Amino acid sequence: MTKKVLMVLTNQEKFSDGTPTGLWLEEAAAPYKIFEKNNIAVDFASIKGGAIPLDPNSVANDETKTYADVVNKLGDSLKLRDVVFENYDGVFIPGGHGTMYDLPNNPDLQNILAFYKEDGRAIGAVCHGPSAFVGAKLKDGNYLIDGVKLTGFTNNEESAMKLDEVVPFALQSELEKQGGRFVVGENFTSHVVTDKKFVTGQNPQSSVEVAEAFVKVL
């Protein structure tokens, strides 16, 4: 039977200061290609549905041509609330700074994440994608990531990008506050952490490796 993955993306196209942001294309496109190669079906979803904004910096080198088929699919994502999430074997959440605005504390997404963890299904995220875990709790009231080894875009990397004053919160700090056992790798170098059914990658450089690890967990 073909495995199915729900990829949850951001609809947010601007930082709070008005600077354009969105999805970091490679973090969705590279995993999509790896899933496709492994005969894993992928559906794109977002909080509002519809077109996914791409961070302009993530398409500066003609990535839209490299990933033209994926970009085309990103033009029309499913609305998360309408998705029958029980039909998927795993959820995968790419990053881009947009995720920090619309994915944390979203009840529909939190419901999916809690169900997947409690049902033993795969949960993957890369770079700022783990912002989706912020505020998510299980039925027993514990945080989704309490005691889970994971990674994501680090405070050091945010500072190196000079965006630590712009983002709504520090991702690493927030995940640590909620009990996540955050593992830091070198800045802007591929770094992936797998803990049972959780698979997380630190930055855009981790996109391929995190997708390959996610396939193994699936």
Side-chain angles (χ1 to χ4, degrees), residues 85 88-91 112-123:
F85 60 83
Y88 296 85
D89 301 287
V91 61
I112 292 170
L113 291 168
F115 174 82
Y116 276 37
K117 184 174 185 189
E118 285 163 347
D119 201 49
R121 301 192 194 191
I123 296 173

Side-chain angles (χ1 to χ4, degrees), residues 5 7 26-42 67 69-70 92 206-216 218:
V5 168
M7 204 180 275
E26 186 199 5
E27 293 171 21
Y32 179 88
K33 294 288 194 184
I34 287 164
F35 298 157
E36 192 178 47
K37 193 172 77 181
N38 286 278
N39 299 314
I40 295 165
V42 179
Y67 297 121
D69 56 332
V70 183
F92 188 86
S206 312
S207 299
V208 169
E209 199 185 332
V210 75
E212 288 170 345
F214 188 76
V215 168
K216 284 179 189 164
L218 265 189

Side-chain angles (χ1 to χ4, degrees), residues 130-162:
S131 61
F133 305 153
V134 172
K137 290 185 176 179
L138 304 173
K139 281 182 193 153
D140 61 10
N142 288 322
Y143 281 112
L144 176 84
I145 56 166
D146 191 16
V148 176
K149 266 205 297 197
L150 79 174
T151 192
F153 207 63
T154 66
N155 291 351
N156 275 338
E157 287 170 316
E158 209 71 85
S159 181
M161 295 285 293
K162 298 188 166 47

